Amino acid sequence: MSDTTTAGSLQEEVREYYRAKAAEAETSGACCSPDPQTFGPAAYDEIGPGTAPDAALLASLGCGNPSAVAELREGETVLDLGSGGGLDVILSARRVGPDGRVFGLDFLEEMLALAARNVADAEIDNVVLLKGTIESIPLPADTVDVIISNCVINLSLNKPAVFAEMARVLTPGGRLGISDVVAEDRLSPEERAERGGHSQCIAGALSVAEYKELLDAVGLKDAEVVFTQEAADGLHAAIIRAHKPLDSTSGAEECAPGGTCC
């Protein structure tokens, strides 16, 4: 089997896995661990009644709470990579307030439809949902103050493109506040694959060193990767932070290739 065929098969596996998750949004699940007591909705134990619709909470498939990790402030523009059922979009929209704006990006119509219903139920009007991939973000350069993501970057088959796109759309001084599954440096890619599948956020996880190297390669500075809890032997849910220097110039085109400017 060629690398192209393998990549195509993995992409389709991920699509089908998350289509099924969207269809099962009435029940809770966790992409990153067999233990729903630790991941998914359990990561949001501080959410009070009425903060977000129950359907959005139950549809959470992540490994952390990136809207809290990113320490969002009033008036900021936020981008959620892989927004799924919309929980992190809703929480972010409440944090940035009416003068802020939140973009939710997902590649599945089913997830976008689920998110749209949850956003409407939350009665929030500062959210824009976008269809697209995290490898080609459909936003202009230098327009986003904060990027969040919840256990999604490990699913990408072209991670250098994801990191380049994050650097492109961030404003100078902008920052990342990401939750993801990350491997200890001692594990080879083959050892990671032995511990879980790609769709379950294990096989495609980067190591700490790889994460920092990719962030540095696109000019995102002061990177830190902090483990929070175990997802599998040698793999952990983690908080990842970095920022784009104030004197940075993207040099990128106004819109991503093939993207739709807003």
Side-chain angles (χ1 to χ4, degrees), residues 122-141:
E123 299 181 341
I124 290 173
D125 59 9
N126 58 338
V127 166
V128 178
L129 297 175
L130 303 171
K131 184 179 181 182
T133 69
I134 62 176
E135 296 86 2
S136 183
I137 298 170
L139 288 173

Side-chain angles (χ1 to χ4, degrees), residues 172-186:
R175 65 191 187 278
L176 306 179
I178 291 171
S179 296
D180 210 353
V181 169
V182 180
E184 296 174 15
D185 289 334
R186 64 181 174 87

Side-chain angles (χ1 to χ4, degrees), residues 148-167:
I148 65 171
S149 185
N150 198 351
C151 202
V152 171
I153 292 173
N154 59 68
L155 296 173
S156 174
L157 303 181
N158 186 358
K159 293 180 178 67
V162 176
F163 283 73
E165 280 290 85
M166 290 194 293

Side-chain angles (χ1 to χ4, degrees), residues 6-46:
T6 301
S9 299
L10 282 174
Q11 285 176 333
E12 188 57 28
E13 174 193 320
V14 170
R15 287 179 183 275
E16 290 306 313
Y17 182 87
Y18 287 97
R19 282 196 181 103
K21 287 297 183 184
E24 297 167 3
E26 292 298 324
T27 61
S28 63
C31 77
C32 307
S33 168
D35 182 7
Q37 302 304 312
T38 304
F39 292 88
Y44 297 87
D45 57 1
E46 85 290 354

Side-chain angles (χ1 to χ4, degrees), residues 44-262:
Y44 297 87
D45 57 1
E46 85 290 354
I47 293 180
T51 303
D54 289 344
L57 181 60
L58 291 174
S60 173
L61 301 169
C63 55
N65 183 349
S67 63
V69 166
E71 299 177 352
L72 302 180
R73 297 185 286 267
E74 291 275 342
E76 290 187 316
T77 297
V78 180
L79 169 63
D80 182 10
L81 299 181
S83 48
L87 177 60
D88 293 318
V89 165
I90 292 167
L91 296 178
S92 297
R94 295 201 189 282
R95 288 177 184 270
V96 301
D99 293 330
R101 195 178 195 191
V102 180
F103 293 100
L105 176 65
D106 208 281
F107 73 143
L108 285 180
E109 292 282 1
E110 293 87 345
M111 282 295 186
L112 290 167
L114 176 61
R117 290 195 295 273
N118 288 330
V119 168
D121 288 345
E123 299 181 341
I124 290 173
D125 59 9
N126 58 338
V127 166
V128 178
L129 297 175
L130 303 171
K131 184 179 181 182
T133 69
I134 62 176
E135 296 86 2
S136 183
I137 298 170
L139 288 173
D142 303 332
T143 54
V144 176
D145 298 312
V146 188
I147 292 175
I148 65 171
S149 185
N150 198 351
C151 202
V152 171
I153 292 173
N154 59 68
L155 296 173
S156 174
L157 303 181
N158 186 358
K159 293 180 178 67
V162 176
F163 283 73
E165 280 290 85
M166 290 194 293
R168 182 184 68 82
V169 300
L170 275 177
T171 60
R175 65 191 187 278
L176 306 179
I178 291 171
S179 296
D180 210 353
V181 169
V182 180
E184 296 174 15
D185 289 334
R186 64 181 174 87
L187 294 187
S188 68
E190 292 75 20
E191 289 171 324
R192 298 169 213 171
E194 291 172 356
R195 287 157 169 77
H198 194 88
S199 295
Q200 290 74 38
C201 306
I202 298 297
L206 293 167
S207 69
V208 174
E210 290 166 344
Y211 233 111
K212 290 182 175 181
E213 287 168 6
L214 284 169
L215 289 168
D216 185 66
V218 297
L220 298 177
K221 302 302 183 183
D222 296 329
E224 62 173 359
V225 179
V226 179
F227 293 156
T228 57
Q229 51 196 314
E230 187 176 76
D233 178 32
L235 293 109
H236 305 263
I239 292 167
I240 299 96
R241 294 186 177 95
H243 75 272
K244 184 173 180 176
L246 281 169
D247 58 357
S248 176
T249 55
S250 68
E253 304 241 345
E254 180 65 10
C255 296
T260 303
C261 289
C262 299

